[in-house]
Amino acid sequence: MVFFGLPILVLGFFTSLRAAEPQLPKAAESFATSEVKSNALSYPTCPAPPEAHQEEEEKCLDQRLLLGLVRPLVDKYPAEKQRQDLTFKNFFTYGWDVGWKEPDEGPNDAPRFGLLRIQRAFWEREIRLVHSYTFGVDGGAADEQELEMEVELPINRRFLIEFEPAVLSVRANSRSWDFGGGDLKVIPQVMLWETKDLSFSSILVVRTPTGTRRVGEGRTSLMPSLALWTDLGERSSLHTFFGAEFPLDGYEAGHRDAVLQYGIAPAKTVTSKDTMLLGNLTFFAEFNGTTDMGRQKQTTLTLLPGVRWLLFKDFWLATGYEFPLTGTKALESRIWFSIYRDF
């Protein structure tokens, strides 16, 4: 299932690149002369099928394929003509039968998109491929790689479902890599409060023991959590997250009873969305932490500086380097790379 995302992303890259080719020379000329207005550049769209509605955003082939697979879910409710706020007061009466649509982004608004590790608080409809390489696991005894595919599907403005299958590999003592399947995570998410400048949601990560134990998987756990995002102005934003993972099966006797997980990440966007090849270039710094609860409480804090940008229309890239801020045997450092495809 993880490798299903690879051909989709490859197809998305080449269809977006092909659509962007006529604009690249124009973009180069505009950068050289600096006489073109900032809104003159726009991302080209792929040809839409004849039956598509005029008001519907034109999609590339891979996006139409993905939408076709999930259309009974994502097209179940019509989107609102004018976006309204979601609050505690109208929690039970509004948003459950309203289709999700990506909010408009003003020139001074911070973009709503996920970073690398911290849980995002808002909705996105995308397929994402994340690769991480961890150096020095278990006090330097091994290196580890993880390839994870994430599919995020907003059902309406109040409810989203996400699926995260993964493949892991471990190399101990400079031996050959040992590959195995990762645990499947099913993540329902409910929006509690959302306005133009704030998103606040509740999350439940359900980890199923589908993985291979020889690579450290095969665990069952539940992780309820809360996530918040807010626009700070001047295209700056703040992501925050707090939750606790409760193991239900798979942890050996004497291991932690629960794991607190939390994080905070400021982000700053320095280019406009229509900047060719570097749209919405955003720098961020994730501060993530875990605290093992049990007889031996241990806290690990890490810093993950990174960058995310729009390469072509609806095709994003992100990368970062994570290192510990506290003494820990969990890892020496970790490299992240992610590809996102909105659809």
Side-chain angles (χ1 to χ4, degrees):
M1 187 175 180
V2 176
F3 296 105
F4 167 78
L6 287 173
I8 291 292
L9 291 173
V10 171
L11 178 61
F13 174 80
F14 283 107
T15 54
S16 297
L17 175 61
R18 183 178 180 182
E21 283 177 352
Q23 295 291 326
L24 291 176
K26 297 179 181 179
E29 292 173 6
S30 64
F31 288 145
T33 60
S34 301
E35 296 177 354
V36 181
K37 295 181 179 180
S38 61
N39 60 355
L41 292 177
S42 61
Y43 283 89
T45 55
C46 303
E51 66 273 12
H53 299 293
Q54 291 183 355
E55 67 275 10
E56 183 178 335
E57 182 184 5
E58 295 178 336
K59 302 291 183 180
C60 292
L61 175 60
D62 63 300
Q63 294 172 306
R64 296 200 297 268
L65 289 174
L66 289 169
L67 281 172
L69 292 174
V70 299
R71 193 169 297 279
L73 294 176
V74 300
D75 283 353
K76 188 174 183 180
Y77 302 107
E80 56 198 341
K81 294 182 180 180
Q82 185 174 359
R83 194 175 183 89
Q84 299 185 34
D85 291 345
L86 303 179
T87 64
F88 296 135
K89 186 176 181 179
N90 63 7
F91 179 79
F92 294 103
T93 59
Y94 188 77
W96 300 97
D97 58 353
V98 177
W100 176 84
K101 183 180 179 181
E102 185 176 2
D104 295 332
E105 180 184 315
N108 295 319
D109 294 339
R112 274 179 167 93
F113 54 59
L115 304 181
L116 282 171
R117 179 179 168 185
I118 194 169
Q119 179 67 49
R120 48 111 187 92
F122 38 80
W123 289 184
E124 295 179 277
R125 188 170 65 211
E126 67 179 14
I127 181 172
R128 175 186 180 193
L129 206 63
V130 185
H131 178 260
S132 62
Y133 190 111
T134 306
F135 300 92
V137 179
D138 295 331
D143 292 342
E144 182 179 283
Q145 294 188 73
E146 181 177 7
L147 182 65
E148 182 177 75
M149 185 179 75
E150 303 176 4
V151 182
E152 300 175 10
L153 299 174
I155 307 304
N156 50 52
R157 284 198 61 195
R158 287 285 187 181
F159 183 75
L160 173 143
I161 188 73
E162 180 178 348
F163 302 93
E164 294 185 1
V167 173
L168 278 79
S169 58
V170 177
R171 182 177 63 181
N173 300 321
S174 300
R175 299 176 182 173
S176 59
W177 288 99
D178 192 4
F179 291 86
D183 293 337
L184 172 65
K185 298 176 185 176
V186 181
I187 308 174
Q189 191 166 349
V190 174
M191 186 65 68
L192 302 176
W193 187 291
E194 187 169 61
T195 63
K196 182 178 183 295
D197 300 324
L198 187 143
S199 293
F200 178 52
S201 60
S202 63
I203 308 159
L204 179 63
V205 179
V206 181
R207 182 171 186 154
T208 63
T210 58
T212 307
R213 288 188 176 272
R214 69 174 182 271
V215 293
E217 296 293 280
R219 305 201 309 267
T220 305
S221 67
L222 297 176
M223 188 176 75
S225 56
L226 296 172
L228 184 143
W229 173 90
T230 183
D231 189 334
L232 301 177
E234 300 298 328
R235 309 211 74 193
S236 298
S237 63
L238 186 69
H239 304 244
T240 58
F241 164 75
F242 181 83
E245 183 180 10
F246 299 94
L248 303 180
D249 181 46
Y251 288 140
E252 299 176 0
H255 283 214
R256 63 261 192 183
D257 301 321
V259 181
L260 299 182
Q261 299 190 19
Y262 39 89
I264 185 169
K268 173 66 175 179
T269 303
V270 298
T271 66
S272 63
K273 190 174 183 179
D274 58 11
T275 302
M276 186 62 66
L277 302 181
L278 290 174
N280 271 351
L281 180 66
T282 300
F283 296 93
F284 57 87
E286 294 190 29
F287 295 86
N288 292 291
T290 61
T291 299
D292 295 346
M293 305 301 294
R295 293 183 179 179
Q296 296 181 350
K297 292 183 175 63
Q298 181 178 355
T299 295
T300 300
L301 298 176
T302 66
L303 172 59
L304 172 55
V307 59
R308 173 171 170 163
W309 70 99
L310 180 64
L311 185 64
F312 303 122
K313 176 179 170 57
D314 297 330
F315 194 94
W316 302 77
L317 299 177
T319 187
Y321 179 76
E322 185 177 15
F323 54 92
L325 298 176
T326 58
T328 178
K329 294 183 178 180
L331 78 161
E332 294 177 358
S333 62
R334 181 182 291 127
I335 297 175
W336 292 83
F337 180 75
S338 185
I339 303 173
Y340 312 75
R341 181 59 162 165
D342 298 335
F343 64 95

